[in-house]
Amino acid sequence: MKKNDYFPPIFKEDAFHCPHCNVYANQYYSHICATRAHGIYSPLIKLKTFEETFDAEWTVSKCQKCCEYIIWYKDNIIHPKKNFISPPNSDLDEDIQADYLEAANILSESPRSSAALLRLALQKLCKQLGEKGDNINDDIKSMVSKGLNPHVQKALDALRITGNNAVHPGEINLQEEPGRVIKLFQLINFIANKMITEPNEIESIYSELPESAKGAVDKRDGRS
């Protein structure tokens, strides 16, 4: 595992970053049982209580590091309710950031809906990058013709193809592969970083150079 790798909670995984302590740690699993309090203080002691084993769809996992519990229903986290996705790149347009955050908030409930929102965010991102924003595939083709970085092209196509499977029947079952959707958030930020943030940072540094030095560079490269 690399230093900056992040592994969000995924049901039945042996280890991930705990939503309580945010440490990558082993996880232990158990089914949930309801028991009555006998001879100990409990806030339920004066209430009608029941004792039974929950359906197998209800599960609890325990973090080896902090010993806190995560409650699952099927493969969704019921407690604690947190957003496990890194924030969107701040250089993205505000409406793209809003789509990104909405997709993050519904990831655990519906990976397909989350991926569909990220596909919409990608379409808007293509427009922010100077393309028409009507057809993602055509926009990528246009960027490739302009000398697009091959790694960025692969990121764009991976996001496009996976997003298409969220809204059209395809070979990728996102309900069974929520980890694949998590990668889409990383791709959005990767594309924004390579296409927007890094160029802006380079332009900012270059603009601070002395005019005489920039003039010499222009003369060297045949620019007036």
Side-chain angles (χ1 to χ4, degrees), residues 197-211 213-214:
T197 304
E198 288 185 1
N200 286 348
E201 290 175 348
I202 293 170
E203 285 297 327
S204 176
I205 294 171
Y206 189 81
S207 67
E208 295 174 357
L209 294 175
E211 291 300 324
K214 288 188 287 185

Side-chain angles (χ1 to χ4, degrees), residues 1-122:
M1 182 176 66
K2 297 178 183 178
K3 181 179 179 181
N4 295 322
D5 281 349
Y6 176 71
F7 295 90
I10 297 177
F11 185 55
K12 293 185 178 180
E13 288 292 322
D14 291 333
F16 47 69
H17 279 84
C18 171
H20 292 285
C21 65
N22 204 36
V23 172
Y24 181 80
N26 290 329
Q27 303 292 323
Y28 305 116
Y29 291 85
S30 177
H31 291 298
I32 300 177
C33 295
T35 60
R36 293 189 177 92
H38 298 290
I40 60 172
Y41 171 77
S42 168
L44 302 178
I45 204 70
K46 295 182 179 180
L47 301 175
K48 294 179 180 179
T49 60
F50 67 96
E51 188 168 1
E52 66 180 61
T53 300
F54 280 33
D55 293 338
E57 294 173 332
W58 287 91
T59 313
V60 61
S61 58
K62 182 178 181 180
C63 175
Q64 183 187 37
K65 179 66 177 180
C66 67
C67 296
E68 292 288 345
Y69 300 102
I70 303 171
I71 299 174
W72 306 77
Y73 178 65
K74 297 182 178 178
D75 56 357
N76 295 322
I77 292 180
I78 304 301
H79 169 81
K81 276 293 185 184
K82 290 186 178 181
N83 188 332
F84 309 112
I85 304 300
S86 300
N89 185 303
S90 60
D91 288 324
L92 291 166
D93 286 344
E94 288 186 3
D95 59 333
I96 300 176
Q97 293 187 49
D99 290 338
Y100 180 105
L101 293 172
E102 184 179 351
N105 288 332
I106 64 172
L107 174 60
S108 61
E109 282 77 17
S110 177
R112 288 182 67 248
S113 298
S114 182
L117 272 171
L118 290 178
R119 182 187 180 280
L120 174 62
L122 174 61

Side-chain angles (χ1 to χ4, degrees), residues 151-214:
H151 293 297
V152 176
Q153 172 260 308
K154 290 179 179 179
L156 286 163
D157 278 318
L159 186 49
R160 173 184 65 85
I161 293 168
T162 307
N164 284 346
N165 275 261
V167 293
H168 302 110
E171 298 177 357
I172 302 173
N173 189 336
L174 297 178
Q175 290 298 135
E176 296 179 357
E177 300 181 75
R180 187 185 291 268
V181 183
I182 292 167
K183 294 291 185 182
L184 301 186
F185 291 93
Q186 298 171 5
L187 290 179
I188 285 279
N189 279 337
F190 171 80
I191 296 164
N193 188 56
K194 290 296 182 182
M195 298 294 287
I196 304 172
T197 304
E198 288 185 1
N200 286 348
E201 290 175 348
I202 293 170
E203 285 297 327
S204 176
I205 294 171
Y206 189 81
S207 67
E208 295 174 357
L209 294 175
E211 291 300 324
S212 58
K214 288 188 287 185

